[in-house]
Amino acid sequence: MATLILVRHGRSTANTAGLLAGWTPGVALDERGAEQAAALPERLSAVPLAAAVTSPLQRCRETLAPLLAARPELPLHTDERIGECHYGDWSNRKLAELAEEPLMKIVQQHPSAAAFPGGESLRAMQARAVDCVREWNARVEEEHGSDAVFLMCSHGDIIKALVADALGMHLDLFQRLHVDPCSVTAVRYTPTRPFLLRLGDTGDFGSLAPRPARVPDAAAADTETFEAATEDHGNAVVGGGAGAA
């Protein structure tokens, strides 16, 4: 069956502001995110793509813009099912503030039981995304053959949930996964099982080095504070975090 390339959107203004964006309108790529998106066509230059599917949110559409400019023949489709988790009342709130909410413990340790107030559950998020991938996988294979490769541009929690499904991993373990902004994750589907080929590949291993001690700048202060807290307590960054600068 077909091979799926999952691209997380580039770093956004919400990432660097330490906000949980969700479906908040007007969240764009920041300067670094635009640079990451501009590098995507070269990173994928050796890969023939049958189709591209994107979340409807602005940061995903902006991430794919350079790739589409480089490949004007590539058909683009929009599918809401790979849009960000509906975080409801948590949307557009500061991650440092949300870290103190009692629900955060459930999100981190028992995500299959987590439902966001005024939003959706993480179970529902995973189910819609998996249905989307399976349907597009069958469509691409039917139209382009079993060796076809297609791309989806989505969000951190969506991609982690899709990888968990591909690995046969319970949703309660998906917070052990991490995907950086504009990273590439690849899954090859077969009639009997999926194979994870890449996970969160940016081609840059600098983020694996120990972080130097420094005072964070004002724009990234909330993100740095929250990431430091999650490192101390072993928690995952909800919404994917900003990743490496």
Side-chain angles (χ1 to χ4, degrees):
M1 298 178 74
T3 298
L4 168 63
I5 293 178
L6 290 160
V7 176
R8 185 185 167 198
H9 63 78
R11 198 176 74 175
S12 72
T13 53
N15 291 146
T16 47
L19 297 172
L20 185 63
W23 284 72
T24 304
V27 177
L29 298 184
D30 68 4
E31 183 176 354
R32 174 58 179 154
E35 292 172 355
Q36 292 169 332
L40 194 59
E42 177 61 27
R43 290 170 59 199
L44 296 176
S45 61
V47 183
L49 295 173
V53 186
T54 184
S55 156
L57 295 174
Q58 179 179 340
R59 52 197 183 273
C60 287
R61 292 185 284 105
E62 288 181 352
T63 297
L64 286 189
L67 180 66
L68 295 170
R71 303 192 193 196
E73 77 289 351
L74 181 64
L76 177 67
H77 310 271
T78 300
D79 199 313
E80 291 192 356
R81 293 175 296 175
I82 56 167
E84 181 62 285
C85 183
H86 291 277
Y87 295 116
D89 297 343
W90 278 30
S91 298
N92 211 35
R93 289 179 60 188
K94 288 193 174 290
L95 288 164
E97 172 188 319
L98 291 171
E100 304 302 321
E101 292 279 354
L103 178 60
M104 181 61 81
K105 184 176 181 179
I106 307 302
V107 171
Q108 294 292 334
Q109 299 181 22
H110 191 19
S112 66
F116 296 97
E120 70 179 331
S121 68
L122 287 171
R123 293 190 319 280
M125 177 202 76
Q126 183 186 46
R128 63 172 165 85
V130 170
D131 284 348
C132 179
V133 164
R134 297 291 184 169
E135 289 177 20
W136 274 103
N137 189 73
R139 174 176 171 177
V140 168
E141 181 177 7
E142 181 180 358
E143 295 179 0
H144 301 280
S146 59
D147 292 331
V149 182
F150 69 109
L151 179 149
M152 286 185 165
C153 187
S154 187
H155 308 266
D157 283 346
I158 294 284
I159 294 172
K160 287 162 54 180
L162 289 169
V163 170
D165 172 74
L167 292 175
M169 176 189 293
H170 197 282
L171 184 62
D172 282 344
L173 302 178
F174 98 124
Q175 297 290 27
R176 301 184 182 195
L177 303 171
H178 179 76
V179 289
D180 278 324
C182 221
S183 63
V184 170
T185 295
V187 181
R188 178 172 294 146
Y189 290 88
T190 78
T192 55
R193 75 197 71 176
F195 292 88
L196 180 64
L197 307 179
R198 297 285 189 280
L199 176 61
D201 189 345
T202 63
D204 178 7
F205 298 102
S207 62
L208 300 179
R211 291 189 182 184
R214 65 181 178 88
V215 177
D217 58 53
D222 290 317
T223 301
E224 293 290 341
T225 300
F226 185 74
E227 289 180 350
T230 57
E231 286 171 1
D232 288 344
H233 301 291
N235 290 334
V237 180
V238 178

